[in-house]
Every structure is written in structure tokens, then in C-alpha cells.
Amino acid sequence: MKPRIKSIETKHMEERRDLFHGLKDLDRRSFLKVSAAAMGAAVASGLGPFQSFQPVTVAQDAAPSGAGPSFRFAYISDSHLYEKKVNDRFVRAILRAVEDVNSLDPQPDFVLFGGDLAQLGQPQELELGAQILKGIKAPVQMMVGEHDWFFDMGEKWRQLFGQPTRSWDHKGIHFVTLNSIIEKDFWTERRMSPMERMQTVAGLDNAVQGRFTVGEPQREWLEKDLAGLKDDAPLIVFSHSPLYKLYKKWNFWTDDAEDVQAILKRFKQVVVIHGHTHQLLTNRIDNIHFHGMLSTAWPWPYAPEGMPELTIQMNRADPFNPNDGCGDGEVRVHADGLVDKVYGLWNRNPITVARGYTASRGKEDAPPKPNLGSF
Ligand SMILES: [Fe+2]
Ligand SMILES: [Fe+2]
């Protein structure tokens, strides 16, 4: 008897079913198997071969000896997971990022997830994300994004990951994560359902919602948290939205950014790393160096106005390549607290933004310009 020929759709659906079956009880041991199967299928369907995360030589530290060791951490952000019955492309993308980071040698000290794990804050979306992140070998630190929060005001997220506002010390650096996506209540008066509220926030450029804030209680917490630190203490702050005002209409914006910056002003140098904008962004406001990181799901276009001078523009995204403009990243922290930032842009060479670039306000160490215009 002749073997039955399966259609491409059938093969795709079978492979997708196997992928999600494998994700059901994901632990570290089974992760590699599932991830390899997902990558294999992507290659077979013409989406690969992927360029995996580049081995990186750790930069020589120019800081005086005894100031503290250099180390690195990895960054994955904005996976925007839908429930698995709706979309599998974004699942594959975050698996890819996890695999890339797991293959770093030596391993990063920790991995920061930059927010927007879920697309519509659904418990199933967040659970799926939590399951996938369990596949990361290094310890994981979580930050919250608006897509994780506004369905149940963070209830499920907190249940899975704890409080979004916290700080810790690692090898001489003080780290802080803030919840920067707090909004004024626009939903009660309008009698919105949780889903209507979530979808309103997810539509960044609608006129119904307000702007993101860190808010007074968290700012007070931040002041207290930093009170014991000397002015020259190296400080790295993680926020989801940029802690400056970039483009209001798209909520690339934190409304009380100046108040947060005022709290950080006394420090010699501060590094702020954010997700949310899904693009290569670099900015400096006085002592504060800002770094926007990539999404694993999709690239946002650049804002039509108000772009920071030090922004590193991506190449124009290739419309035939669903991974173009997406990726993960790595941050090399030096003993002086400044960082080299590596963007793992998939299917392209990694781009490094060296600490000298922001420190010199763009006069030194400029990364190579992309050869195409960008959106
Ligand atoms: Fe996002
Ligand atoms: Fe976001």
C-alpha cells in the first residue's frame, strides 16, 4: 500500500500539536527537546536557518582594579504570548530567545525578562509564559508590562512572579525594577469589562486611556530604597516603558519621568534599561543612560518625531522575514557601572552599543550605521 501523502497544512498542524504537547509539562530537561523540535520545524518551513546567539568576547575592563568584577546578564522582552490555540509563532520566538540565551558560554549571571510576557493578560497566556521561562538555565528576574496587567490588574502576574517593584544587589551593582505602566482609572466610569479595559490599554494610540506613570507611592519607595547608597554607587534600573518622554501618542512615554529622573539625579551614573518600544533605542539625559531593548514578537516602527539623538536605527525590516527586527540581547556591566549593550538581532549581525558611545554623547564608539533606512 502506498504511504498516504500528508498535506503541508496537516504536517503543520501535527507539528504544532506536538509542540504544545511538549510544552505542557515543560521543565529544564524537556526544554531542549521541545525547543529543538520547534527550531527544526521552523527551518523545514523556510524560516531558517537561524543565526544563533553570537559567542561574545567579554570586553576588557578599563576600570581601576578592585572596583568590582565585570559580569553580564541577558535580556528577553515583549513576547506577547497569545493563548496557544490562537498563535504559535510568538511561542516559537520566545523559545528561540531562551535557547539563544541558554547557549551563552559562560552563562549570564541572570536573565531579565522585560515585560509584556502576555498579549491580553489572560491567565492562560501568563501561565504559558511562566512555563517557557522555566526553561532558562540562569536565574530569572521579572518585570511587568501593560499587556500583562490590565485584565486583572496584575493579580495573576503577582501570583506567578511576586511583586513587580523590588531591588537587589549583585556584584557591587544595585538593581531596581519598577512598574512603570500604572494608569489613572479610565474604566470604572465607562463601566468597562476587564477585557475591554485590557484591549483599550493594548491599543496604544487610542484616546480613551491616559499615559503610563510610575506613580507617587513607587517614587517614595524608590527614594527610600536608594537612600543608603552613596552618590557614586553604580545603579541599574529596569522599567517597561522608557523613563523619559519619547512619543506620547503611542505611549512611548512615562508621564512622571522627570520626577523619577530627579530621584536618580544625585548619582554619578545610572543605566536604565527598558522594553515596550521593540526597537534599538539609546538615549542619554545628563547622568542617566537609557537603553531600549528588542521584542521577540515584532518590531515597532520608529516614532515619526522626537527620536533621541543617540538612537541606533535598525535596518528596514524585511517584510518577508517574520523575525526581522526582533531578537534578544546581552548587557555587559563594567566595574564603573556603565554597560556595553549587545542586540541579538535575528538573521543579522549583532549590534553592540559600547559604553563609550553614551558616555561621550555619541562622539566616540559609534556603532556602524545600517545601510538601509528604517521604519
Ligand atoms: Fe510590548
Ligand atoms: Fe508594552
Side-chain angles (χ1 to χ4, degrees):
M1 207 172 80
K2 267 188 174 176
R4 230 179 94 230
I5 295 170
K6 288 180 187 168
S7 71
I8 289 172
E9 288 83 355
T10 306
K11 275 198 238 167
H12 172 74
M13 292 317 286
E14 283 180 0
E15 185 275 322
R16 190 174 186 274
R17 187 197 57 209
D18 292 346
L19 168 67
F20 287 118
H21 184 75
L23 282 175
K24 240 171 45 191
D25 301 302
L26 199 65
D27 58 23
R28 269 182 208 167
R29 265 178 65 207
S30 58
F31 175 81
L32 274 180
K33 223 171 97 191
V34 175
S35 155
M39 295 312 131
V43 171
S45 62
L47 295 177
F50 292 123
Q51 168 197 305
S52 187
F53 208 93
Q54 298 291 293
V56 173
T57 314
V58 176
Q60 286 297 314
D61 203 328
S65 60
S70 289
F71 63 95
R72 60 184 183 173
F73 62 87
Y75 196 97
I76 304 174
S77 196
D78 291 86
S79 55
H80 291 266
L81 293 171
Y82 287 85
E83 262 187 80
K84 46 194 174 191
K85 64 177 186 249
V86 182
N87 173 299
D88 64 316
R89 189 183 125 200
F90 294 166
V91 174
R92 291 174 203 283
I94 186 176
L95 284 171
R96 162 82 200 284
V98 170
E99 189 186 71
D100 282 354
V101 165
N102 277 348
S103 67
L104 285 172
D105 182 22
Q107 275 288 287
D109 283 15
F110 62 87
V111 177
L112 196 292
F113 186 85
D116 286 352
L117 180 64
Q119 171 61 12
L120 292 171
Q122 301 300 291
Q124 299 90 329
E125 297 173 347
L126 290 163
E127 277 165 12
L128 175 63
Q131 236 174 11
I132 292 171
L133 293 178
K134 273 191 215 156
I136 297 178
K137 288 194 251 172
V140 177
Q141 296 282 355
M142 292 297 290
M143 193 168 55
V144 75
E146 81 278 14
H147 285 262
D148 305 320
W149 194 260
F150 283 88
F151 179 70
D152 60 6
M153 302 311 288
E155 199 182 315
K156 183 72 188 179
W157 194 93
R158 285 191 300 263
Q159 193 191 317
L160 289 167
F161 306 115
Q163 289 302 327
T165 311
R166 60 183 186 281
S167 68
W168 69 96
D169 292 298
H170 184 76
K171 294 186 179 168
I173 308 271
H174 190 67
F175 288 92
V176 175
T177 57
L178 295 174
N179 175 356
S180 65
I181 50 88
I182 295 168
E183 285 199 28
K184 243 200 232 140
D185 184 346
F186 60 83
W187 50 89
T188 308
E189 211 173 45
R190 290 181 169 91
R191 295 168 190 260
M192 284 182 169
S193 68
M195 194 48 138
E196 283 168 336
R197 175 176 60 204
M198 179 67 251
Q199 280 174 329
T200 302
V201 177
L204 289 175
D205 54 354
N206 64 65
V208 176
Q209 62 180 316
R211 300 300 95 180
F212 297 141
T213 64
V214 168
E216 211 180 323
Q218 252 188 133
R219 295 200 311 268
E220 278 173 16
W221 173 90
L222 181 64
E223 260 192 294
K224 270 191 213 142
D225 183 73
L226 304 180
L229 296 180
K230 289 190 188 138
D231 293 357
D232 61 352
L235 183 59
I236 297 185
V237 179
F238 298 109
S239 61
H240 180 66
S241 54
L243 287 182
Y244 61 93
K245 291 175 170 172
L246 171 50
Y247 191 60
K248 193 170 189 173
K249 285 182 187 159
W250 295 351
N251 243 345
F252 286 4
W253 189 273
T254 304
D255 220 39
D256 54 353
E258 287 93 343
D259 298 326
V260 182
Q261 289 166 18
I263 299 169
L264 303 174
K265 205 173 175 62
R266 74 176 172 91
F267 292 96
K268 201 169 148 211
Q269 54 217 2
V270 182
V271 175
V272 176
I273 298 175
H274 65 87
H276 184 62
T277 50
H278 301 202
Q279 56 199 231
L280 279 64
L281 271 176
T282 300
N283 192 11
R284 177 178 170 183
I285 300 173
D286 301 327
N287 60 326
I288 311 177
H289 302 234
F290 299 90
H291 299 284
M293 297 301 274
L294 296 169
S295 159
T296 61
W298 69 79
W300 280 121
Y302 285 103
E305 57 192 2
M307 293 304 291
E309 209 181 316
L310 300 177
T311 296
I312 312 305
Q313 301 251 332
M314 289 187 272
N315 267 332
R316 182 182 296 232
D318 176 354
F320 297 103
N321 179 349
N323 293 305
D324 201 22
C326 301
D328 45 33
E330 181 194 339
V331 181
R332 301 177 207 151
V333 183
H334 295 273
D336 58 5
L338 289 180
V339 301
D340 292 329
K341 181 179 55 170
V342 183
Y343 291 102
L345 265 169
W346 298 345
N347 302 317
R348 294 186 188 279
N349 291 329
I351 293 175
T352 300
V353 178
R355 61 180 164 169
Y357 183 65
T358 39
S360 68
R361 294 182 196 271
K363 290 193 185 79
E364 290 163 23
D365 287 338
K369 286 227 173 356
N371 43 19
L372 295 170
S374 55
F375 291 106

Short mmCIF file of all heavy atoms in Angstrom, two decimals, residues 276-303:
data_model
loop_
_atom_site.label_atom_id
_atom_site.label_comp_id
_atom_site.label_asym_id
_atom_site.label_seq_id
_atom_site.Cartn_x
_atom_site.Cartn_y
_atom_site.Cartn_z
N HIS A 276 9.18 47.46 25.82
CA HIS A 276 8.00 48.20 25.37
C HIS A 276 8.09 48.82 23.99
O HIS A 276 7.12 48.79 23.24
CB HIS A 276 7.64 49.29 26.41
CG HIS A 276 6.38 50.04 26.10
ND1 HIS A 276 5.16 49.40 26.04
CD2 HIS A 276 6.14 51.35 25.82
CE1 HIS A 276 4.22 50.30 25.75
NE2 HIS A 276 4.79 51.48 25.60
N THR A 277 9.23 49.41 23.63
CA THR A 277 9.31 50.11 22.35
C THR A 277 9.76 49.20 21.20
O THR A 277 9.72 49.61 20.05
CB THR A 277 10.27 51.32 22.46
OG1 THR A 277 11.49 50.86 23.05
CG2 THR A 277 9.68 52.41 23.32
N HIS A 278 10.21 47.97 21.52
CA HIS A 278 10.52 46.95 20.50
C HIS A 278 11.48 47.46 19.43
O HIS A 278 11.27 47.23 18.24
CB HIS A 278 9.24 46.49 19.78
CG HIS A 278 8.18 45.88 20.64
ND1 HIS A 278 7.21 45.03 20.13
CD2 HIS A 278 7.89 45.99 21.96
CE1 HIS A 278 6.39 44.65 21.10
NE2 HIS A 278 6.77 45.23 22.22
N GLN A 279 12.52 48.17 19.81
CA GLN A 279 13.46 48.68 18.80
C GLN A 279 14.77 49.09 19.48
O GLN A 279 14.85 49.14 20.70
CB GLN A 279 12.87 49.90 18.09
CG GLN A 279 12.46 50.99 19.02
CD GLN A 279 11.46 51.98 18.39
OE1 GLN A 279 11.70 53.16 18.45
NE2 GLN A 279 10.38 51.52 17.80
N LEU A 280 15.77 49.37 18.66
CA LEU A 280 17.09 49.75 19.18
C LEU A 280 17.08 51.23 19.54
O LEU A 280 17.14 52.08 18.67
CB LEU A 280 18.17 49.50 18.11
CG LEU A 280 18.71 48.09 17.96
CD1 LEU A 280 17.64 47.12 17.51
CD2 LEU A 280 19.86 48.07 16.99
N LEU A 281 17.00 51.50 20.81
CA LEU A 281 16.93 52.89 21.26
C LEU A 281 18.04 53.17 22.26
O LEU A 281 18.28 52.39 23.17
CB LEU A 281 15.60 53.12 21.99
CG LEU A 281 14.38 53.55 21.18
CD1 LEU A 281 13.17 53.62 22.09
CD2 LEU A 281 14.60 54.89 20.51
N THR A 282 18.70 54.28 22.07
CA THR A 282 19.72 54.70 23.02
C THR A 282 19.54 56.19 23.29
O THR A 282 19.35 56.96 22.36
CB THR A 282 21.13 54.44 22.45
OG1 THR A 282 21.25 53.03 22.21
CG2 THR A 282 22.21 54.85 23.41
N ASN A 283 19.55 56.56 24.53
CA ASN A 283 19.33 57.96 24.88
C ASN A 283 20.20 58.28 26.09
O ASN A 283 20.60 57.39 26.83
CB ASN A 283 17.85 58.18 25.22
CG ASN A 283 17.47 59.65 25.32
OD1 ASN A 283 18.25 60.54 24.95
ND2 ASN A 283 16.29 59.92 25.83
N ARG A 284 20.48 59.56 26.26
CA ARG A 284 21.16 59.98 27.48
C ARG A 284 20.57 61.31 27.93
O ARG A 284 20.46 62.23 27.13
CB ARG A 284 22.66 60.12 27.23
CG ARG A 284 23.38 60.62 28.46
CD ARG A 284 24.88 60.74 28.29
NE ARG A 284 25.41 61.44 29.45
CZ ARG A 284 26.68 61.76 29.62
NH1 ARG A 284 27.56 61.44 28.69
NH2 ARG A 284 27.08 62.40 30.69
N ILE A 285 20.18 61.36 29.18
CA ILE A 285 19.76 62.64 29.76
C ILE A 285 20.66 62.85 30.97
O ILE A 285 20.54 62.15 31.98
CB ILE A 285 18.26 62.61 30.16
CG1 ILE A 285 17.39 62.36 28.93
CG2 ILE A 285 17.86 63.91 30.86
CD1 ILE A 285 15.92 62.15 29.21
N ASP A 286 21.58 63.77 30.82
CA ASP A 286 22.58 64.05 31.87
C ASP A 286 23.27 62.78 32.35
O ASP A 286 23.93 62.12 31.60
CB ASP A 286 21.92 64.83 33.02
CG ASP A 286 21.34 66.14 32.53
OD1 ASP A 286 21.92 66.72 31.59
OD2 ASP A 286 20.29 66.56 33.04
N ASN A 287 23.02 62.43 33.62
CA ASN A 287 23.73 61.27 34.20
C ASN A 287 23.05 59.94 33.90
O ASN A 287 23.53 58.89 34.29
CB ASN A 287 23.80 61.43 35.74
CG ASN A 287 22.40 61.50 36.35
OD1 ASN A 287 21.48 62.03 35.73
ND2 ASN A 287 22.23 60.97 37.54
N ILE A 288 21.90 59.98 33.21
CA ILE A 288 21.13 58.74 33.01
C ILE A 288 21.26 58.24 31.57
O ILE A 288 20.97 58.97 30.62
CB ILE A 288 19.64 58.94 33.37
CG1 ILE A 288 19.52 59.62 34.74
CG2 ILE A 288 18.91 57.60 33.38
CD1 ILE A 288 18.11 59.93 35.15
N HIS A 289 21.70 57.00 31.43
CA HIS A 289 21.88 56.37 30.12
C HIS A 289 20.72 55.40 29.91
O HIS A 289 20.55 54.47 30.70
CB HIS A 289 23.20 55.62 30.07
CG HIS A 289 24.39 56.48 30.35
ND1 HIS A 289 25.46 56.56 29.49
CD2 HIS A 289 24.69 57.31 31.39
CE1 HIS A 289 26.36 57.40 29.99
NE2 HIS A 289 25.92 57.86 31.14
N PHE A 290 19.96 55.58 28.84
CA PHE A 290 18.77 54.76 28.60
C PHE A 290 19.03 53.78 27.44
O PHE A 290 19.59 54.17 26.41
CB PHE A 290 17.59 55.64 28.22
CG PHE A 290 17.19 56.62 29.28
CD1 PHE A 290 17.76 57.89 29.32
CD2 PHE A 290 16.25 56.30 30.23
CE1 PHE A 290 17.38 58.81 30.28
CE2 PHE A 290 15.86 57.21 31.22
CZ PHE A 290 16.44 58.47 31.24
N HIS A 291 18.56 52.58 27.60
CA HIS A 291 18.72 51.57 26.54
C HIS A 291 17.40 50.84 26.31
O HIS A 291 16.92 50.14 27.20
CB HIS A 291 19.79 50.55 26.95
CG HIS A 291 21.14 51.17 27.17
ND1 HIS A 291 21.94 51.57 26.12
CD2 HIS A 291 21.81 51.47 28.29
CE1 HIS A 291 23.06 52.09 26.61
NE2 HIS A 291 23.00 52.04 27.92
N GLY A 292 16.81 51.01 25.13
CA GLY A 292 15.60 50.27 24.76
C GLY A 292 16.00 48.93 24.16
O GLY A 292 16.97 48.87 23.40
N MET A 293 15.31 47.87 24.50
CA MET A 293 15.68 46.54 24.03
C MET A 293 14.66 45.98 23.04
O MET A 293 13.61 46.56 22.82
CB MET A 293 15.85 45.59 25.23
CG MET A 293 16.98 46.01 26.16
SD MET A 293 18.62 46.10 25.38
CE MET A 293 19.18 44.42 25.53
N LEU A 294 14.99 44.84 22.46
CA LEU A 294 14.18 44.27 21.38
C LEU A 294 13.05 43.40 21.91
O LEU A 294 13.08 42.92 23.04
CB LEU A 294 15.06 43.41 20.48
CG LEU A 294 16.16 44.15 19.72
CD1 LEU A 294 17.11 43.15 19.08
CD2 LEU A 294 15.56 45.07 18.67
N SER A 295 12.07 43.19 21.05
CA SER A 295 10.97 42.27 21.33
C SER A 295 11.25 40.95 20.61
O SER A 295 11.91 40.94 19.58
CB SER A 295 9.68 42.89 20.78
OG SER A 295 8.69 41.92 20.59
N THR A 296 10.73 39.85 21.17
CA THR A 296 10.82 38.60 20.41
C THR A 296 9.62 38.46 19.46
O THR A 296 9.59 37.56 18.63
CB THR A 296 10.85 37.37 21.35
OG1 THR A 296 9.65 37.34 22.12
CG2 THR A 296 12.05 37.41 22.27
N ALA A 297 8.62 39.33 19.59
CA ALA A 297 7.37 39.14 18.83
C ALA A 297 7.32 39.94 17.53
O ALA A 297 7.07 39.39 16.47
CB ALA A 297 6.18 39.51 19.71
N TRP A 298 7.52 41.25 17.61
CA TRP A 298 7.51 42.07 16.39
C TRP A 298 8.27 43.36 16.67
O TRP A 298 8.40 43.78 17.81
CB TRP A 298 6.07 42.40 15.95
CG TRP A 298 5.34 43.32 16.87
CD1 TRP A 298 5.46 44.68 16.96
CD2 TRP A 298 4.35 42.95 17.86
NE1 TRP A 298 4.64 45.16 17.95
CE2 TRP A 298 3.94 44.14 18.51
CE3 TRP A 298 3.78 41.75 18.25
CZ2 TRP A 298 2.99 44.15 19.52
CZ3 TRP A 298 2.83 41.75 19.27
CH2 TRP A 298 2.44 42.93 19.89
N PRO A 299 8.81 44.01 15.62
CA PRO A 299 9.44 45.31 15.81
C PRO A 299 8.41 46.43 15.65
O PRO A 299 7.55 46.35 14.77
CB PRO A 299 10.46 45.36 14.67
CG PRO A 299 9.88 44.50 13.59
CD PRO A 299 8.94 43.50 14.23
N TRP A 300 8.44 47.44 16.51
CA TRP A 300 7.62 48.62 16.26
C TRP A 300 8.40 49.54 15.33
O TRP A 300 9.63 49.57 15.35
CB TRP A 300 7.36 49.39 17.56
CG TRP A 300 6.28 48.85 18.44
CD1 TRP A 300 6.43 48.45 19.74
CD2 TRP A 300 4.89 48.67 18.13
NE1 TRP A 300 5.23 48.02 20.24
CE2 TRP A 300 4.26 48.15 19.28
CE3 TRP A 300 4.11 48.90 17.00
CZ2 TRP A 300 2.90 47.85 19.34
CZ3 TRP A 300 2.76 48.60 17.04
CH2 TRP A 300 2.17 48.09 18.20
N PRO A 301 7.66 50.33 14.54
CA PRO A 301 8.37 51.35 13.75
C PRO A 301 8.89 52.44 14.68
O PRO A 301 8.46 52.54 15.82
CB PRO A 301 7.27 51.90 12.82
CG PRO A 301 5.99 51.57 13.50
CD PRO A 301 6.22 50.35 14.34
N TYR A 302 9.83 53.24 14.17
CA TYR A 302 10.30 54.37 14.97
C TYR A 302 9.24 55.47 14.99
O TYR A 302 8.47 55.62 14.05
CB TYR A 302 11.61 54.91 14.39
CG TYR A 302 12.77 54.00 14.71
CD1 TYR A 302 13.30 53.15 13.75
CD2 TYR A 302 13.31 53.97 15.99
CE1 TYR A 302 14.35 52.30 14.06
CE2 TYR A 302 14.36 53.12 16.30
CZ TYR A 302 14.87 52.30 15.34
OH TYR A 302 15.90 51.45 15.65
N ALA A 303 9.21 56.20 16.09
CA ALA A 303 8.24 57.31 16.20
C ALA A 303 8.54 58.34 15.12
O ALA A 303 9.70 58.54 14.75
CB ALA A 303 8.36 57.93 17.59
#
